[in-house]
Amino acid sequence: MSAPGDGSKRPARLFTPDFLTELFQNPLDPGYADAAARRRLDPASGSGWRGASARAVAVVVVAAVGFLFAVAYRETMADEPSRSQARAALIAQIKQREAETDAMTARAARLREEVGRQRDAALSGSQAARLRNLEAGTGLGRVRGDGVVVKLADAAVQDDGAVNGDSAAGPSRVIYSDLQKVANDLWASGAEAIAINGQRLTATSTIRSAGAAILVDFRPVTSPYEVSAIGPRSLRDRFDDSRSAYLMRRVARDTGLSFEVRRAEDLTLPAAPEPRLRYAQPSVSPSPSPAGSGAVGSSGAGSSGPGSSSRPSGGVR
């Protein structure tokens, strides 16, 4: 022990830094610091065969990737004319077939009218009138009269080409179930004849979807959709109070699609095509089949026939 005033100094007290203090004071690992110091002292040490080989490999990889991109781009551009030509040929073929179908449909309508005139001339007046009334009621005859027109259209397309997004009320385009609901409520409101975009509805008509397309009796219809109905004067008011009219007004408000109901005078609805009638015929082999074996053509619980088709896709509201 030293006496006071002997000039000796008391040793300084040392504090061990904690982990965070050490981390902030020395953020670089000692090994990395030593390597950086060696490179500063000898700059040529980092440019050995390893660095040269790494750079060579990098150059080779970049060249190979660039070559592959160039080949892929060349192949794509080489196939583009053939794809465009095939697409144009398909579009031209579709338009040609549509024109031929329309021409044949118009010719069939003219022939039907000629057959009707010849038939009326051969029958008596009362019989011809009764037959015309039956044709009008079943959709096989052209009809004229006053009624309503229900117009539905998809939502407007935005400037960038996109359609307004779907909402909780459903998609912003007209779907097949919308046309089904409108047609059913028009029948329930007293309509006597209905046509969708010129396609006359009958007791065997179907409104279905095939992808994004809507088919009426297997013929495509596009937006805007006009559902024309001939019926009594109260048809408009009764349809306005229907469930489908209420639903479509709400959907139009929420999604942006168009829905309009208006009265129309002197509507002309075309006749539906002649149906394909099927007649029952006796079995080719009248002998009963053995027990436990299913007869040919028999339908079980899991079979599906023309009248038991599954629900088509396309969405519902």
Side-chain angles (χ1 to χ4, degrees):
M1 186 174 67
S2 59
D6 57 358
S8 62
K9 296 183 179 179
R10 182 176 298 178
R13 188 174 181 179
L14 299 177
F15 296 91
T16 303
D18 56 3
F19 174 74
L20 292 178
T21 304
E22 180 67 20
L23 180 63
F24 282 107
Q25 289 180 351
N26 301 308
L28 187 64
D29 187 86
Y32 291 107
D34 294 342
R38 286 196 300 270
R39 285 195 297 271
R40 285 195 299 269
L41 295 176
D42 188 8
S45 61
S47 59
W49 63 273
R50 291 183 177 179
S53 62
R55 287 192 294 271
V57 170
V59 171
V60 171
V61 170
V62 171
V65 172
F67 176 76
L68 292 177
F69 275 114
V71 171
Y73 177 78
R74 181 177 179 180
E75 293 294 330
T76 302
M77 296 305 295
D79 294 340
E80 183 63 26
S82 61
R83 284 198 297 266
S84 300
Q85 292 176 0
R87 184 173 181 273
L90 288 175
I91 293 175
Q93 186 177 1
I94 291 172
K95 291 182 177 180
Q96 179 183 359
R97 296 295 175 85
E98 288 180 349
E100 293 176 356
T101 302
D102 294 339
M104 295 176 66
T105 301
R107 183 170 181 269
R110 291 193 300 269
L111 292 175
R112 184 185 300 177
E113 292 179 357
E114 180 64 24
V115 170
R117 286 192 295 268
Q118 298 290 339
R119 181 199 58 202
D120 294 343
L123 296 176
S124 62
S126 59
Q127 291 177 341
R130 181 173 179 271
L131 190 55
R132 283 195 299 269
N133 291 333
L134 290 175
E135 286 181 342
T138 56
L140 301 181
R142 187 176 59 177
V143 292
R144 295 179 59 183
D146 299 339
V148 299
V149 174
V150 182
K151 185 176 181 180
L152 303 92
D154 298 339
V157 180
Q158 299 176 355
D159 295 337
D160 55 358
V163 182
N164 295 331
D166 298 346
S167 65
S172 57
R173 57 182 177 83
V174 179
I175 56 181
Y176 78 99
S177 58
D178 298 335
L179 298 180
Q180 285 181 347
K181 293 182 178 68
V182 169
N184 288 335
D185 278 341
L186 283 172
W187 288 123
S189 300
E192 301 171 0
I194 299 177
I196 300 178
N197 283 20
Q199 299 295 319
R200 183 75 175 274
L201 299 185
T202 65
T204 59
S205 296
T206 59
I207 303 174
R208 324 190 98 188
S209 65
I214 298 179
L215 307 179
V216 177
D217 282 339
F218 302 102
R219 295 199 63 179
V221 292
T222 56
S223 178
Y225 307 93
E226 287 193 356
V227 185
S228 305
I230 294 177
R233 189 68 179 175
S234 61
L235 179 61
R236 163 71 183 276
D237 297 332
R238 295 180 63 181
F239 177 75
D240 283 338
D241 296 334
S242 65
R243 185 177 183 276
S244 63
Y246 169 78
L247 174 64
M248 293 310 302
R249 289 192 183 93
R250 190 185 66 181
V251 170
R253 182 180 64 251
D254 296 339
T255 64
L257 63 81
S258 176
F259 176 74
E260 177 188 355
V261 183
R262 61 180 176 85
R263 283 193 175 91
E265 297 181 356
D266 197 18
L267 288 174
T268 300
L269 303 187
E274 292 287 344
R276 296 181 59 186
L277 302 179
R278 297 178 176 89
Y279 301 92
Q281 296 179 357
S283 175
V284 176
S285 177
S287 59
S289 60
S293 64
V296 177
S298 62
S299 60
S303 64
S304 61
S308 60
S309 59
S310 60
R311 187 180 194 176
S313 60
V316 295
R317 302 193 189 276

